[in-house]
């Protein structure tokens, strides 16, 4: 069992300015995630799931407390350093896929590798491998507008996985998918988690998704309500 | 930077029609700017060449009291040329005179010139004709305004050196065609020897025209004015034309650049989710700004290429065949203007225009792209307007 800590959250608080006042989105969050976990942040809308993912993904930083990702404190990272962290170690999957509309499937998946200055040959192999993982290699030349919801989300997974990140953050990845597609997507993610030992962290309020999780963290009003270990591979704080 | 160009290329290609509309507008401006400047350059070159061939020669040795732009200097602005024995100089004596075509009086400048001169293109050899009338030479504009044609006889009246009026019949020996209005309108050419005889001003001249072999022999009485000095009026008029032309191409550039600016401003709003995704995928804000700026720069590069594809044949056609420029009255222009204008596209002109278009397009792309630096990545991913 791998127990290497990859994400550590200590007393994390996040407040947003709302008009003249403040809204506290996260209240004193303390969590650890090990390498290779397949965990879900569960809770109703406004419970702080996405905010927490954004902080772990270094897109945002905590107002108080410390968020350490791969040994780096998010608050202390410069804009360039956090971009580098995302580029090399963190993959994102969004609810609405956020595919680049003018690029083909191939180019969308290739994008992250372009930023890493891989050679054209390396990129091609990695992109085709990633498209193979998610079973859409035959759609490489299609534009996102021509894809179904399930196919679009597969492209998003391939794009997030192509650089073989340490952490993959998925914000409501199945919210726009029907049950069949959601199942297929989660199965794909699960097998990638096993194959590549990537840490998967989901946010969801879909009950059906939860049965795939090894660990479920229940959030309510910005606080951890419950941290459930379903499978022994995961560990709590 | 190579990466920014690669991504910008993909974005522009992917944007399809929007890209090609901007590129079309910019390429049109580019070609029109090159064409218009080429036209001015062509005009300038033609006007200089024709003015040298028809009026200035290699320069003028002007009597100190004579000023070509001041009619009051005609009376006394002349001197004896016996001391100036240079075969490379052709004397011209200017006197005021009147002609009476169809009984109406017209004041003219009567210019005595050596029929054998070779400094100017004027067909003065036609003055070397023996006949009972005084042979004169006039230009097409003068012929039109006076109603005279070749072979017509007209009464010519002048004052001799003592101020006494005298008159004789003159015959139009030839009507020449020139693009230089200052040697045509209101002017009559006769043999200088004849003018000396008519006025009693033997061996007198107002100025002398130098040919290519002339070496400056300026004296106290005679002041040498070289081509540059004589063409200064022409240069000033061309410079004025260039300024008014620059207003046209500034307007054209503004329209084209506005299209790019508008596209960029819209892009920043419409592509917020895309910008957020770039950041989530690991691009820094600076890289995103660079990408958007390079997109604008690439519009101008595409515009150059598209402009070359359709512009080179069009510009080449006009350079070879010229542009007909019908002139009703050449005097209105004040300077030489040909009936067919041939644009000249110099290397300096093309490179200068390319640099101006590329730099301007890059700047107008960069200005709205700076807004990205103030964007919040989380809001951008959601496509939330900022």
């Amino acid at each position: 069992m791998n127990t290497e800590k990859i994400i550590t959250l200590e007393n994390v608080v996040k407040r947003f300015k709302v008009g003249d006042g403040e809204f506290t989105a996260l209240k004193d969050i303390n969590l650890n995630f090990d390498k290779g976990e397949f965990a879900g942040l569960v809770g109703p809308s406004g419970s702080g799931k996405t905010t927490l993912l954004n902080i772990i993904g270094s897109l945002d930083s905590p107002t108080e407390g410390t968020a350490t990702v791969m040994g780096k404190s998010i608050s202390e990272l410069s804009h360039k350093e956090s971009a580098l962290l995302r580029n090399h170690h963190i993959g994102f999957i969004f609810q609405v896929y956020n595919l680049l509309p003018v690029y083909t499937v191939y180019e969308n998946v290739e994008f992250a590798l372009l930023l890493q200055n891989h050679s054209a040959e390396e990129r091609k192999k990695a992109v085709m491998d990633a498209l193979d993982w998610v079973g859409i290699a035959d759609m490489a030349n299609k534009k996102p507008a021509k894809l179904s919801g399930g196919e679009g989300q597969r492209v998003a997974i391939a794009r997030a996985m192509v650089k073989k990140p340490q952490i993959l953050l998925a914000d409501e990845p199945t919210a726009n998918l029907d049950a069949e597609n959601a199942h297929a997507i989660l199965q794909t993610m699960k097998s990638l988690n096993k194959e590549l030992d990537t840490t998967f962290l989901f946010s969801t309020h879909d009950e059906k998704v939860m049965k795939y999780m090894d660990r479920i963290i229940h959030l309510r009003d910005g606080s951890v309500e419950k941290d459930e270990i379903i499978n022994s591979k995961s560990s709590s704080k | 930077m190579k990466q920014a160009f690669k991504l910008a290329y993909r974005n522009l290609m992917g944007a399809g029609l929007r890209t090609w509309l901007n590129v079309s507008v910019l390429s049109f401006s580019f070609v029109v700017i090159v064409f218009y400047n080429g036209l001015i350059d062509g005009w300038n070159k033609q006007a200089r060449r024709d003015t040298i061939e028809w009026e200035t020669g290699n320069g003028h040795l002007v009597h100190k009291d004579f000023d070509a732009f001041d009619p009051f200097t005609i009376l006394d602005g002349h001197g004896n040329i016996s001391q100036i024995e240079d075969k490379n100089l052709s004397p011209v004596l200017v006197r005021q005179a009147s002609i009476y075509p169809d009984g109406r009086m017209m004041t003219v400048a009567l210019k005595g010139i050596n029929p054998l001169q070779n400094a100017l293109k004027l067909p003065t050899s036609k003055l070397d004709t023996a006949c009972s009338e005084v042979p004169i030479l006039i230009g097409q504009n003068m012929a039109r305004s006076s109603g005279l044609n070749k072979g017509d006889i007209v009464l010519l009246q002048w004052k001799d050196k003592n101020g006494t009026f005298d008159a004789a019949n003159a015959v139009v020996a030839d009507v020449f065609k020139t693009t230089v209005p200052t040697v045509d309108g209101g002017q009559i050419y006769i043999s200088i020897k004849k003018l000396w005889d008519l006025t009693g001003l033997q061996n007198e001249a107002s100025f002398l025209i130098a040919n290519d072999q002339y070496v400056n022999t300026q004296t106290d009485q005679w002041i040498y004015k070289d081509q540059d000095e004589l063409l200064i009026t022409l240069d000033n008029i061309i410079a004025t034309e260039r300024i008014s032309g620059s207003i046209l191409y500034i307007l054209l550039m503004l329209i084209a650049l506005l299209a790019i600016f508008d596209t960029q401003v819209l892009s920043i709003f419409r592509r917020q989710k895309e910008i957020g995704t770039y950041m989530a995928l690991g691009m820094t804000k600076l890289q995103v700004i660079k990408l958007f700026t390079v997109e604008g720069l690439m519009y101008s590069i595409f515009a150059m290429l598209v402009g070359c594809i359709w512009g080179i044949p069009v510009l080449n056609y006009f350079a070879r065949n010229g542009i007909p420029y019908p002139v009703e009255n050449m005097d209105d222009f004040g300077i030489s203007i040909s009936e067919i204008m041939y644009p000249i596209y110099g290397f300096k002109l093309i490179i200068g225009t390319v640099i101006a278009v590329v730099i301007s397009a890059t700047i107008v792309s960069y200005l709205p792209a700076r807004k990205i630096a103030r964007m919040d990545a989380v809001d951008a991913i959601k496509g939330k307007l900022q």
Side-chain angles (χ1 to χ4, degrees):
Chain A
M1 187 170 72
N2 192 342
T3 55
E4 184 192 337
K5 294 273 180 294
I6 199 161
I7 301 163
T8 307
L9 305 171
E10 289 173 341
N11 309 315
V12 168
V13 175
K14 181 68 187 178
R15 293 190 199 94
F16 293 106
K17 279 194 173 171
V18 181
D20 292 334
E22 278 187 335
F23 166 72
T24 306
L26 294 175
K27 297 168 191 165
D28 201 25
I29 302 288
N30 287 283
L31 288 169
N32 287 325
F33 294 93
D34 292 339
K35 186 170 169 55
E37 275 200 55
F38 201 78
L41 300 169
V42 178
S45 292
S47 58
K49 305 184 296 288
T50 303
T51 305
L52 196 54
L53 284 186
N54 287 338
I55 289 173
I56 294 168
S58 78
L59 288 168
D60 209 346
S61 56
T63 314
E64 285 174 25
T66 313
T68 309
V69 176
M70 299 197 60
K72 292 183 168 99
S73 171
I74 297 298
S75 308
E76 289 166 15
L77 292 178
S78 67
H79 175 71
K80 194 176 177 183
E81 286 167 339
S82 57
L84 267 175
L85 179 69
R86 287 194 295 274
N87 184 220
H88 287 273
H89 303 296
I90 302 172
F92 285 91
I93 298 171
F94 302 100
Q95 184 179 340
V96 286
Y97 328 134
N98 282 47
L99 299 178
L100 301 167
V102 298
Y103 291 2
T104 61
V105 165
Y106 181 93
E107 288 166 345
N108 262 284
V109 178
E110 189 194 22
F111 190 89
L113 299 177
L114 268 175
L115 296 181
Q116 291 179 3
N117 294 320
H118 287 280
S119 70
E121 206 172 297
E122 284 171 342
R123 290 200 306 268
K124 189 174 181 184
K125 187 181 181 314
V127 172
M128 292 318 291
D129 283 350
L131 291 175
D132 265 340
W133 291 333
V134 295
I136 50 165
D138 56 331
M139 294 177 184
N141 294 319
K142 281 193 176 176
K143 287 274 177 79
K146 303 280 181 192
L147 304 175
S148 68
E151 289 163 348
Q153 198 57 297
R154 281 170 192 274
V155 178
I157 295 169
R159 183 176 66 182
M161 290 304 297
V162 71
K163 59 189 177 186
K164 298 197 172 102
Q166 301 285 319
I167 301 163
L168 197 141
L169 306 172
D171 189 7
E172 307 269 9
T174 56
N176 286 346
L177 302 178
D178 56 36
E180 195 183 335
N181 266 312
H183 170 73
I185 291 290
L186 286 160
Q187 283 292 2
T188 306
M189 290 190 188
K190 192 87 185 171
S191 61
L192 287 171
N193 167 249
K194 279 182 185 159
E195 205 177 315
L196 302 170
D197 205 25
T198 303
T199 305
F200 275 73
L201 195 51
F202 291 78
S203 82
T204 184
H205 56 257
D206 185 348
E207 294 287 332
K208 294 192 293 294
V209 177
M210 294 177 206
K211 65 181 178 188
Y212 292 89
M213 302 298 153
D214 295 334
R215 178 183 174 190
I216 299 173
I217 296 147
H218 296 265
L219 292 175
R220 182 170 288 275
D221 296 331
S223 301
V224 177
E225 194 178 51
K226 193 162 67 171
D227 189 352
E228 279 185 286
I229 309 295
I230 314 293
N231 183 316
S232 60
K233 191 182 176 185
S234 294
S235 65
S236 63
K237 65 174 178 168
Chain B
M1 191 51 100
K2 188 180 164 191
Q3 184 190 82
F5 271 94
K6 188 166 192 162
L7 294 175
Y9 176 79
R10 278 186 185 176
N11 286 349
L12 294 189
M13 287 293 121
L17 186 64
R18 188 182 63 195
T19 298
W20 296 114
L21 279 175
N22 280 332
V23 166
S24 304
V25 174
L26 198 56
S27 81
F28 176 76
S29 301
F30 170 64
V31 172
V32 171
I33 289 168
V34 170
F35 171 74
Y36 192 84
N37 277 295
L39 198 62
I40 299 273
D41 282 349
W43 181 16
N44 185 19
K45 196 169 178 184
Q46 166 265 318
R48 285 184 77 89
R49 187 188 60 229
D50 289 357
T51 306
I52 288 166
E53 285 177 355
W54 284 88
E55 188 178 19
T56 66
N58 195 37
H60 286 178
L61 197 61
V62 183
H63 187 267
K64 66 179 177 54
D65 295 330
F66 181 74
D67 179 354
F69 298 104
D70 183 1
F72 292 108
T73 63
I74 291 177
L75 188 64
D76 299 319
H78 53 86
N80 196 290
I81 57 167
S82 307
Q83 305 299 317
I84 308 169
E85 283 188 13
D86 191 333
K87 61 180 181 188
N88 297 316
L89 290 168
S90 295
V92 176
L93 177 63
V94 185
R95 307 305 294 160
Q96 278 184 328
S98 302
I99 54 170
Y100 295 85
D102 295 329
R104 64 189 169 91
M105 189 180 85
M106 271 183 83
T107 303
V108 295
L110 187 61
K111 287 185 172 175
I113 189 165
N114 184 355
L116 303 176
Q117 64 81 29
N118 58 4
L120 303 181
K121 234 176 163 180
L122 283 166
T124 48
S125 58
K126 301 280 172 64
L127 297 172
D128 202 13
T129 312
C131 59
S132 54
E133 293 88 9
V134 179
I136 59 170
L137 202 59
I138 58 173
Q140 265 187 341
N141 277 348
M142 179 64 187
R144 190 165 38 243
S145 59
S146 63
L148 292 171
N149 292 305
K150 188 177 174 181
D152 286 354
I153 292 172
V154 66
L155 182 68
L156 174 69
Q157 186 189 50
W158 68 93
K159 270 199 247 182
D160 69 11
K161 67 176 181 181
N162 301 314
T164 308
F165 281 104
D166 202 350
N169 276 337
V171 61
V172 179
D174 199 16
V175 176
F176 61 85
K177 188 179 176 185
T178 179
T179 61
V180 185
T182 46
V183 298
D184 185 344
Q187 293 175 66
I188 288 178
Y189 295 86
I190 70 169
S191 162
I192 195 164
K193 281 183 181 163
K194 191 78 183 169
L195 188 58
W196 284 340
D197 291 342
L198 297 178
T199 58
L201 292 166
Q202 289 299 328
N203 286 323
E204 296 278 319
S206 305
F207 62 93
L208 298 104
I209 303 161
N211 67 14
D212 295 343
Q213 281 82 47
Y214 174 71
V215 181
N216 182 6
T217 52
Q218 182 168 311
T219 63
D220 290 345
Q221 286 283 308
W222 299 92
I223 298 153
Y224 181 67
K225 292 186 177 179
D226 63 12
Q227 278 179 353
D228 289 340
E229 200 174 344
L230 293 170
L231 292 169
I232 201 152
T233 312
L234 172 70
D235 290 341
N236 289 339
I237 292 171
I238 294 285
T240 310
E241 283 298 324
R242 223 179 260 289
I243 290 167
S244 54
S246 66
I247 292 168
L248 173 77
Y249 66 73
I250 284 171
L251 282 173
L252 277 167
M253 278 282 280
L254 281 178
I255 292 167
L257 295 176
L258 193 66
I260 295 178
F261 186 78
D262 185 49
T263 305
Q264 292 292 86
V265 171
L266 270 175
S267 286
I268 309 297
F269 281 103
R270 285 170 48 190
R271 294 167 67 188
Q272 286 206 55
K273 197 178 270 188
E274 187 182 327
I275 292 167
T277 307
Y278 288 144
M279 291 181 196
L281 292 174
M283 279 181 104
T284 62
K285 285 178 179 175
L286 192 67
Q287 281 177 306
V288 183
I289 292 171
K290 201 192 279 179
L291 173 63
F292 274 69
T293 307
V294 171
E295 281 184 22
L297 167 67
M298 286 190 92
Y299 278 127
S300 61
I301 293 169
F302 285 164
M304 301 301 144
L305 296 175
V306 171
C308 285
I309 292 168
W310 72 268
I312 287 174
V314 172
L315 295 178
N316 192 37
Y317 173 83
F318 285 124
R320 274 190 289 111
N321 299 296
I323 300 143
Y325 205 92
V327 184
E328 280 293 313
N329 189 353
M330 207 166 52
D331 283 348
D332 292 346
F333 285 88
I335 59 166
S336 167
I337 185 158
S338 172
E339 285 176 352
I340 295 178
M341 304 248 278
Y342 293 91
I344 294 170
Y345 317 112
F347 181 75
K348 201 171 137 190
L349 163 67
I350 292 166
I351 293 297
T353 311
V354 167
I355 290 170
V357 171
V358 168
I359 290 176
S360 317
T362 307
I363 291 170
V364 296
S365 304
Y366 170 70
L367 293 177
R370 288 178 309 166
K371 190 177 161 60
I372 293 166
R374 296 191 297 274
M375 273 188 184
D376 179 75
V378 174
D379 286 341
I381 289 166
K382 292 176 193 162
K384 200 169 157 186
L385 285 179
Q386 293 175 62

